Amino acid sequence: MILAPSRPGIYARGSETVDHILKAALGVLIDEGADAFTLRRIAARCDMKVGNVSYHFPRKEMLIQVMLDEMLESYDKLLEEMVRKPGLVAEERLKLVIILCLDDIQTKRTTHLFTELWALANQSAFVADRVRLFYGKVHEVIGEYVAQVNPALSADEVHSVALFISASMEGSTPFLGHQKPWAHKMPVFTAMAAMSLVHLAKTVTSRDLAGLMTEAA
Amino acid sequence: MILAPSRPGIYARGSETVDHILKAALGVLIDEGADAFTLRRIAARCDMKVGNVSYHFPRKEMLIQVMLDEMLESYDKLLEEMVRKPGLVAEERLKLVIILCLDDIQTKRTTHLFTELWALANQSAFVADRVRLFYGKVHEVIGEYVAQVNPALSADEVHSVALFISASMEGSTPFLGHQKPWAHKMPVFTAMAAMSLVHLAKTVTSRDLAGLMTEAA
DNA sequence: ACGAATATTTGAAGACTGTCCAATATTGTT
DNA sequence: AACAATATTGGACAGTCTTCAAATATTCGT
């Protein structure tokens, strides 16, 4: 089990410095990539010496872990804000979540951070764990609406559909995300996703998910 | 315009060495990630000294470019092999391509390489360019079948649908790829993808793609 | 305003990195 | 067999990186 490291910074000044470091670290990762994610660049970004970063985060790994936790927490909040829309039925909510997610994917922040995260998860058990937990929540949110528009599905089937919807959206990141080759097609992509994925959620049957590969070729 | 660097290695021995270096480099990227992608690790993997790698590839960037070109070329071949299946109508071919692509995504090689590539494309214009060219071909292959199952679509609309199909499949990589959290759900994911994406290709209309956000909220 | 706790700077250690070069070994051709 | 072209080794180089310890500066409760 991997636990969340507690955040350093006792005095008001130190606490602010920790804020600056974390913000700068995220900025470096977004703007310059994992390759440039060094203490020196992070320190330079908040006009500070390397030793000070090293003082507040004795190990670089700690900085990464705290930064990742805060970042994913902010996305959790974003996700919850999407949900809190009054006066909508499940199908409308599902459609709205799709639209808002694809909208967020277009930001530089999300496009860069999540592509980096998917790569880092290949090697780092910590990153892989946090990514898994985060998307688990995403699937829960989406699954809630899937279950409502298609009550016949079992809990596991609902999760499978939510997983497909989530993956379909995330897959747009490297291709239609911020400054990606087909970014200009995001509007039509969104229209297709909303239509196709909502239709899938409403019409898919246990039979569809059970039959599997029997008639593949 | 970025050109493909020509491959060094004049004598038979040197040519073999270049092969080993390229294979080892790809192995390092797959097994240990971009962070461990150093000349020394690559050299160690093929029992050779750093200076020799440096001799065959005077700049590290050259090694990266040659490696990436050869790798994407191998995927091009794989893609063409998928296409050459006799006696199938367009819909069956589309379904088969989806199944084979998702099958390939489950390999460690593809799961790791493409997630790394998407991240590297954020910073490297060269990687971004090659990724764009590669997926351009993917869209062409898929688009060919989309156009056949849905002749009413314009060329641009066909590409949009192909882009959506491709992105939906690629999106499975970080979640259902090799040793990813929901890898065990790839069979049901494949069933859903084949059904849903083929249905989309057959039934989507110009109207669907033009209406856009008019009734979003 | 004093003094302890905290923050920051400075400097340096030790381990990396990519690149380069001279010496040596191997290859292919004549 | 001789000889030039190519390949390989081993080491040096100037950087960079993280980490650490000592010295200095700042903050906060008293």
Side-chain angles (χ1 to χ4, degrees), chain A residues 112-189:
Chain A
H112 285 202
L113 278 181
F114 281 88
T115 46
E116 294 288 351
L117 244 47
W118 297 339
L120 292 175
N122 288 335
Q123 306 302 328
S124 160
F126 177 81
V127 174
D129 189 62
R130 296 305 152 116
V131 168
R132 180 180 57 79
L133 286 175
F134 173 72
Y135 281 104
K137 288 180 201 152
V138 173
H139 299 163
E140 274 185 32
V141 170
I142 297 176
E144 194 180 324
Y145 303 144
V146 171
Q148 288 180 38
V149 299
N150 198 335
L153 297 178
S154 74
D156 185 65
E157 288 163 348
V158 164
H159 177 263
S160 295
V161 175
L163 178 61
F164 181 81
I165 293 174
S166 172
S168 283
M169 295 190 297
E170 299 296 321
S172 71
T173 309
F175 312 115
L176 302 96
H178 181 259
Q179 283 187 340
K180 294 300 176 185
W182 299 280
H184 60 100
K185 287 213 166 187
M186 192 52 116
V188 61
F189 187 95

Side-chain angles (χ1 to χ4, degrees), chain A residues 11-13 37-40 51 54 58-60:
Chain A
Y11 282 1
R13 182 171 180 190
F37 192 82
T38 70
L39 297 186
R40 305 186 115 75
S54 197
R59 322 247 138 241
K60 189 184 179 183

Side-chain angles (χ1 to χ4, degrees), chain B residues 163-185:
Chain B
L163 178 62
F164 181 82
I165 292 174
S166 172
S168 283
M169 294 190 298
E170 299 296 322
S172 71
T173 309
F175 311 115
L176 302 97
H178 179 260
Q179 284 186 339
K180 294 300 174 185
W182 300 280
H184 64 282
K185 288 215 164 185

Side-chain angles (χ1 to χ4, degrees), chain B residues 9-57:
Chain B
I10 309 292
Y11 282 2
R13 182 170 180 189
S15 191
E16 279 178 28
T17 300
V18 168
D19 278 342
H20 289 148
I21 293 174
L22 289 169
K23 181 173 284 186
L26 209 57
V28 169
L29 190 58
I30 294 171
D31 293 336
E32 309 176 50
D35 192 52
F37 193 82
T38 72
L39 297 186
R40 288 178 162 79
R41 266 188 225 245
I42 293 167
R45 201 175 244 252
C46 39
D47 289 311
M48 143 186 340
K49 305 302 169 185
V50 204
N52 205 17
V53 180
S54 198
Y55 166 74
H56 289 287
F57 298 94

Side-chain angles (χ1 to χ4, degrees), chain B residues 43-112:
Chain B
R45 201 175 244 252
C46 39
D47 289 311
M48 143 186 340
K49 305 302 169 185
V50 204
N52 205 17
V53 180
S54 198
Y55 166 74
H56 289 287
F57 298 94
R59 320 251 137 240
K60 190 185 181 184
E61 204 180 24
M62 295 182 188
L63 170 55
I64 296 175
Q65 296 185 359
V66 175
M67 186 194 73
L68 183 55
D69 279 333
E70 295 209 347
M71 171 208 144
L72 288 180
E73 195 179 348
S74 80
Y75 276 100
D76 275 341
K77 285 183 190 165
L78 200 71
L79 195 65
E80 284 175 18
E81 284 177 15
M82 292 183 187
V83 178
R84 284 198 296 271
K85 299 288 173 183
L88 290 178
V89 295
E91 180 178 335
E92 290 168 331
R93 283 179 190 264
L94 181 56
K95 194 173 185 176
L96 190 60
V97 166
I98 291 171
I99 290 169
L100 293 177
C101 279
L102 290 175
D103 212 60
D104 180 69
I105 283 174
Q106 287 181 290
T107 66
K108 180 180 181 182
R109 178 188 167 93
T110 294
T111 296
H112 285 201

Side-chain angles (χ1 to χ4, degrees), chain A residues 2-201:
Chain A
I2 306 171
L3 294 173
S6 67
R7 231 185 95 149
I10 309 291
Y11 282 1
R13 182 171 180 190
S15 191
E16 278 178 30
T17 300
V18 169
D19 278 342
H20 289 148
I21 293 173
L22 289 170
K23 182 174 282 185
L26 208 58
V28 169
L29 190 59
I30 294 171
D31 294 335
E32 309 176 50
D35 191 54
F37 192 82
T38 70
L39 297 186
R40 305 186 115 75
R41 271 187 222 243
I42 293 167
R45 201 174 247 251
C46 38
D47 290 312
M48 156 186 329
K49 306 301 171 186
V50 202
N52 203 19
V53 179
S54 197
Y55 164 73
H56 288 287
F57 297 94
R59 322 247 138 241
K60 189 184 179 183
E61 206 181 22
M62 294 182 189
L63 169 55
I64 296 176
Q65 297 186 356
V66 174
M67 186 193 74
L68 183 56
D69 278 334
E70 296 210 346
M71 170 208 144
L72 288 181
E73 194 179 350
S74 80
Y75 276 99
D76 275 342
K77 285 182 191 166
L78 200 70
L79 196 64
E80 284 176 18
E81 284 176 16
M82 293 184 187
V83 177
R84 284 199 296 272
K85 299 287 174 184
L88 290 177
V89 295
E91 180 178 336
E92 289 168 330
R93 284 178 190 263
L94 181 56
K95 195 173 185 176
L96 189 60
V97 166
I98 291 171
I99 290 169
L100 293 177
C101 279
L102 290 175
D103 212 60
D104 179 70
I105 283 175
Q106 287 181 289
T107 64
K108 179 179 181 184
R109 177 189 167 93
T110 294
T111 296
H112 285 202
L113 278 181
F114 281 88
T115 46
E116 294 288 351
L117 244 47
W118 297 339
L120 292 175
N122 288 335
Q123 306 302 328
S124 160
F126 177 81
V127 174
D129 189 62
R130 296 305 152 116
V131 168
R132 180 180 57 79
L133 286 175
F134 173 72
Y135 281 104
K137 288 180 201 152
V138 173
H139 299 163
E140 274 185 32
V141 170
I142 297 176
E144 194 180 324
Y145 303 144
V146 171
Q148 288 180 38
V149 299
N150 198 335
L153 297 178
S154 74
D156 185 65
E157 288 163 348
V158 164
H159 177 263
S160 295
V161 175
L163 178 61
F164 181 81
I165 293 174
S166 172
S168 283
M169 295 190 297
E170 299 296 321
S172 71
T173 309
F175 312 115
L176 302 96
H178 181 259
Q179 283 187 340
K180 294 300 176 185
W182 299 280
H184 60 100
K185 287 213 166 187
M186 192 52 116
V188 61
F189 187 95
T190 303
M192 249 185 297
M195 185 188 64
S196 176
L197 297 176
V198 168
H199 176 264
L200 170 70

